[in-house]
Amino acid sequence: MHSTTYEEKNEETSSVLVEETGEKTSAKKAFLLLIKAFVGTGILFLPKAFFNGGLLFSVIILALVGSITACATLLLVKVRLQVPGEFGEIGGILYGKPVRILVRFSITISQLGFCCAYFIFVAQNLYDLTHTLSGCRVDIPVKYFIFLQLVVYVPFAMVRKIKAFSYGSLAANIFILFGIVYIFYVDIDHFVSVGAGDFKLFNPQDFPLFIGTALFSFEGIGLVLPVVNSMKEPKRFPAVLASVIVTVTVIFVGIGAVSYAAFGSSTETIILLNMPSDQATTKVVQFCYVFAILLTLPLMIFPATNILESAIFGDRSGRKSTMIKWEKNLFRALLCVCLGLISWGGASNLDNFVSLIGGFGCIPLLFIYPALFHFKVCAKSIWARAGDIVLSLFGLGVMIFVTYISIKSWSTSEVVNRCGNAV
């Protein structure tokens, strides 16, 4: 009995990229795909992250994270050109089954973490919208908005083909672009009419939270190998990646620095909550981002679902067995419910939650695994091997530090909405 494995699902992602144009992906197309992958709703958490880190510190660290991410990604691509396979499969070929499991664990944790953060994001925006639209007469707790989303996510979780999400992903990216333009407009208008906020250049108390959020923002690592696999000329990828990282870093620094400089200590965890609530455009942008997440989250959960199904069900396929198919459907539904419960627990500490995902889930994928893989396959000189060792140890140290601080600084303080009520 045939079963669609995780490797086949990963290859399907590459084939979808090819099918969109009917041919192999050009360098220009690859650039646009990666921009879409890296610039997501995580950008809305950056202004508060700049508050946690301080303006000057955050600009420097974000540029540093972007540079290291580019270098580590190039290491991974060099390995991929010599060792065929997806991320986890490469780890298994080079270091055995335990590393393959470890890589897939990191992918699963990071993707599910992104999903939880987006659960909270949608819930808090819907909570804010109900207050502004009702004049503070309606006060529905955030937890209900978290679980309300399951009405959308559970049916979407049953979809088996990643291609089904392509049009929704395109619409989501249009919504996100519209929101970014509006945020820049409001920031500049705020500078002109009110002036700069009370910002700091460095925040010695909360700066580790910035590092985790910065790593969370570079969430497009999962699409790198599929894009390389789909390219007409894979050797042009390093130039494409350099252009993408520079562009993305400029956008991230722009949103984070300008918004924090405008609103200072009043900067909200989600910058949309700083937008003027009495303007219809703000409500439209919030609705756009809510729909963007509703259309994007099923795509975000797709890799994690396939990894977990492969681990739990093995070679058992639902193609010829209705019972197995519905067992998998039940599993996917329960997974969505679990994500809702986790999101409920992290809703009051969204900046810590995002930092924790970035530290524990994203750092291994961005820094540690690429360095270890390159050390095994491509590092021939003593300097190359030393560089790989330094990068992997640096990643491990930052992961432990950021994860520890994110958990240690977790607070139970109440979040207050625009109406002065506790969320």
Side-chain angles (χ1 to χ4, degrees):
M1 184 179 295
H2 177 73
S3 173
T4 303
T5 64
Y6 173 65
E7 287 79 10
E8 289 171 326
K9 289 291 185 180
N10 194 270
E11 289 302 318
E12 180 190 344
T13 305
S14 302
S15 66
V16 168
L17 299 179
V18 174
E19 288 173 13
E20 287 180 351
T21 58
E23 59 182 14
K24 284 283 189 177
T25 307
S26 65
K28 183 178 179 180
K29 176 75 172 179
F31 173 84
L32 294 175
L33 286 170
L34 287 175
I35 289 291
K36 285 163 59 179
F38 279 105
V39 181
T41 49
I43 196 172
L44 301 181
F45 304 133
L46 281 173
K48 182 58 181 292
F50 269 66
F51 165 81
N52 289 329
L55 189 61
L56 180 61
F57 174 83
S58 299
V59 170
I60 294 172
I61 295 299
L62 195 56
L64 181 62
V65 168
S67 300
I68 298 176
T69 298
C71 293
T73 304
L74 288 176
L75 295 181
L76 179 62
V77 172
K78 286 182 180 180
V79 174
R80 171 60 185 82
L81 293 176
Q82 296 191 38
V83 182
E86 50 84 25
F87 210 153
E89 190 178 11
I90 292 174
I93 292 172
L94 297 180
Y95 291 99
K97 185 177 179 180
V99 173
R100 183 183 68 194
I101 294 173
L102 197 59
V103 172
R104 291 182 181 175
F105 172 78
S106 296
I107 293 172
T108 303
I109 290 295
S110 61
Q111 294 299 128
L112 294 183
F114 295 150
C115 292
C116 289
Y118 293 160
F119 257 98
I120 300 169
F121 172 88
V122 169
Q124 291 191 356
N125 273 278
L126 290 175
Y127 180 81
D128 185 68
L129 279 167
T130 56
H131 278 82
T132 56
L133 292 174
S134 68
C136 296
R137 289 187 295 273
V138 177
D139 185 27
I140 302 173
V142 168
K143 63 181 180 181
Y144 293 115
F145 287 115
I146 289 176
F147 293 115
L148 181 63
Q149 295 171 65
L150 294 174
V151 176
V152 176
Y153 298 148
V154 170
F156 273 145
M158 308 303 171
V159 177
R160 263 62 177 181
K161 295 290 184 180
I162 195 172
K163 187 178 180 180
F165 302 121
S166 58
Y167 292 110
S169 177
L170 176 61
N173 283 298
I174 294 173
F175 292 152
I176 290 171
L177 178 61
F178 173 57
I180 291 173
V181 172
Y182 178 66
I183 291 169
F184 270 122
Y185 167 78
V186 172
D187 290 344
I188 294 172
D189 181 68
H190 191 276
F191 272 117
V192 173
S193 59
V194 180
D198 53 336
F199 62 86
K200 297 180 181 179
L201 297 181
F202 176 64
N203 183 351
Q205 182 177 355
D206 298 318
F207 74 91
L209 296 180
F210 171 80
I211 300 174
T213 306
L215 292 160
F216 178 96
S217 300
F218 286 91
E219 60 188 75
I221 185 68
L223 196 60
V224 167
L225 291 184
V227 168
V228 174
N229 294 342
S230 72
M231 283 188 70
K232 187 186 306 180
E233 301 175 272
K235 291 184 179 180
R236 296 187 62 184
F237 183 80
V240 171
L241 180 66
S243 301
V244 168
I245 293 297
V246 169
T247 303
V248 167
T249 302
V250 169
I251 295 173
F252 287 174
V253 168
I255 286 289
V258 175
S259 296
Y260 172 50
F263 296 102
S265 59
S266 300
T267 303
E268 297 284 351
T269 302
I270 302 172
I271 190 60
L272 289 180
L273 302 184
N274 283 108
M275 303 294 103
S277 60
D278 58 341
Q279 292 189 11
T281 310
T282 298
K283 298 179 180 65
V284 171
V285 170
Q286 284 183 290
F287 272 119
C288 283
Y289 267 100
V290 166
F291 281 116
I293 294 300
L294 292 177
L295 294 171
T296 302
L297 191 141
L299 186 61
M300 299 293 292
I301 200 175
F302 195 85
T305 301
N306 289 314
I307 290 173
L308 292 173
E309 275 192 355
S310 178
I312 295 172
F313 294 96
D315 293 333
R316 291 182 292 164
S317 173
R319 294 184 179 182
K320 297 182 180 180
S321 172
T322 304
M323 178 63 72
I324 293 175
K325 180 178 180 179
W326 281 103
E327 285 178 356
K328 289 186 176 183
N329 286 341
L330 177 60
F331 165 75
R332 291 178 178 220
L334 290 175
L335 179 61
C336 290
V337 173
C338 288
L339 292 178
L341 291 171
I342 295 170
S343 303
W344 181 17
S348 61
N349 296 275
L350 184 55
D351 49 350
N352 286 71
F353 191 80
V354 168
S355 177
L356 181 62
I357 298 164
F360 186 72
C362 298
I363 289 180
L365 297 171
L366 289 171
F367 299 160
I368 299 176
Y369 301 140
L372 292 176
F373 296 173
H374 187 267
F375 179 87
K376 185 83 169 183
V377 176
C378 304
K380 305 301 181 184
S381 69
I382 187 173
W383 292 110
R385 297 173 74 85
D388 290 336
I389 293 173
V390 169
L391 179 58
S392 58
L393 291 177
F394 170 77
L396 180 62
V398 174
M399 181 188 74
I400 295 172
F401 176 65
V402 172
T403 301
Y404 171 74
I405 294 297
S406 299
I407 295 174
K408 182 182 178 182
S409 61
W410 201 282
S411 65
T412 56
S413 58
E414 293 181 325
V415 179
V416 179
N417 61 33
R418 298 188 202 245
C419 302
N421 301 322
V423 176

